[in-house]
Amino acid sequence: AVVSTQSTGVGTYPKPYVALIHGITMGGGVGLSVHGKYRVATDRSLYAMPETAIGYFPDVGGSYFLSRLPAPYGIFLGLTGHRLKGADLKHMGIATHYTTAENLTALRKDIACCDAGSVVETLAKHDVSPPTPFSLEPQHDLIKHCFSASSVLEIISRLEENGTEFALKLVKNLRRMSPRSLVITHKLLSIAPSKSYEECFAMEFCAAHQIVRSGEFGEGVRALLVDKDNSPVWRPGSIEEVTEEMVAEYFAERERAWKPLEL
């Protein structure tokens, strides 16, 4: 909740906010960077929202920014936790600028010395074109066809029908994720485009309360981060067993105690 509140403040902060996306940037790190006005990726950036693997969902405003990526890449990234490198972030628009790791010291120095009116010029001075093309471009048609489906089960069905190595690997990975988390994430990202920035955070807050109570998140953390047996016991155990009634409670209207950070 603390990270979510801080992340909201990032998106509404009145002063120029520059995020340096360098190294591993996942989960909360995404929330503290992606909502800023200026986002600089490097050749050492590694970016992902892997929450479905631990029985959770992309929060910290993930529903807002993922749902506003070129469709259906947001749903693809939110469900699969696929990792993107720095060049990909610039190609997708997640990063506004790109530079090399070796140039970061000079960039930091220039940012520290510039004023609000010269931020754009300062960043442009260090901005370079990514050296590699978008890594997912060869799979664009597959992703667009499969992940535009209206449900997680239909996504998996289309991937299986495609039958390529890339598609079947995705099926295998999705079947390892929390079924409940996958369906919640899909619904969250499907309705988020009609929600405001603050409404997305409030929606995530309510869903987070429910998923923590369910024990799904605790089981995912146990299996992947504590015991590290990589054998979570999800309840229910398959996507086919996740009912509409089961998911509806995560989106039911109720008293919302979440409030955005006022800066």
Side-chain angles (χ1 to χ4, degrees):
V2 173
V3 175
S4 288
T5 301
Q6 292 173 335
S7 298
T8 319
V10 170
T12 58
Y13 198 57
K15 296 182 180 180
Y17 186 101
V18 180
L20 303 181
I21 306 171
H22 181 61
I24 297 174
T25 307
M26 299 183 183
V30 172
L32 293 175
S33 61
V34 76
H35 303 300
K37 186 172 183 179
Y38 306 108
R39 308 172 298 277
V40 185
T42 77
D43 50 331
R44 296 183 188 174
S45 302
L46 187 62
Y47 209 71
M49 292 295 279
E51 287 81 3
T52 55
I54 56 171
Y56 202 57
F57 60 89
D59 64 342
V60 294
S63 63
Y64 183 83
F65 95 84
L66 286 172
S67 66
R68 284 156 176 80
L69 293 178
Y73 280 101
I75 288 179
F76 168 76
L77 295 173
L79 293 180
T80 67
H82 184 84
R83 298 181 177 187
L84 297 173
K85 295 186 177 181
D88 294 326
L89 299 180
K90 180 64 183 297
H91 289 307
M92 287 199 74
I94 295 175
T96 57
H97 299 78
Y98 179 89
T99 193
T100 62
E102 290 73 16
N103 189 53
L104 272 184
T105 298
L107 173 59
R108 287 192 182 102
K109 182 178 179 180
D110 284 352
I111 291 174
C113 295
C114 77
D115 56 29
S118 59
V119 171
V120 173
E121 180 182 351
T122 300
L123 291 174
K125 172 184 171 184
H126 295 273
D127 190 28
V128 298
S129 297
T132 56
F134 183 37
S135 65
L136 291 173
E137 184 60 36
Q139 308 298 338
H140 173 76
D141 291 343
L142 180 154
I143 292 171
K144 185 175 182 179
H145 172 67
C146 296
F147 286 84
S148 61
S150 60
S151 69
V152 177
L153 278 176
E154 180 60 23
I155 288 173
I156 290 178
S157 176
R158 292 185 185 186
L159 288 170
E160 290 174 335
E161 183 179 352
N162 179 274
T164 61
E165 182 180 355
F166 181 81
L168 294 180
K169 184 177 180 180
L170 287 176
V171 172
K172 185 177 180 180
N173 288 340
L174 288 171
R175 287 293 187 183
R176 290 173 177 169
M177 308 293 191
S178 160
R180 186 192 302 254
S181 293
L182 288 174
V183 178
I184 290 170
T185 297
H186 187 271
K187 182 170 182 178
L188 195 70
L189 297 180
S190 296
I191 64 180
S194 64
K195 303 292 184 181
S196 69
Y197 183 65
E198 289 79 8
E199 286 173 336
C200 283
F201 274 90
M203 183 169 59
E204 293 171 10
F205 181 80
C206 292
H209 272 244
Q210 291 297 318
I211 206 163
V212 169
R213 290 193 189 103
S214 74
E216 198 81 339
F217 178 51
E219 173 60 12
V221 170
R222 179 207 66 76
L224 276 76
L225 302 177
V226 180
D227 296 339
K228 298 183 180 179
D229 57 23
N230 293 313
S231 299
V233 180
W234 304 125
R235 293 186 175 87
S238 70
I239 300 169
E240 288 80 359
E241 295 175 85
V242 180
T243 64
E244 291 186 10
E245 293 76 18
M246 193 180 297
V247 175
E249 65 181 9
Y250 292 83
F251 299 88
E253 290 296 327
R254 57 175 60 84
E255 183 66 24
R256 294 181 171 179
W258 181 89
K259 294 181 180 179
L261 179 67
E262 295 181 2
L263 296 173

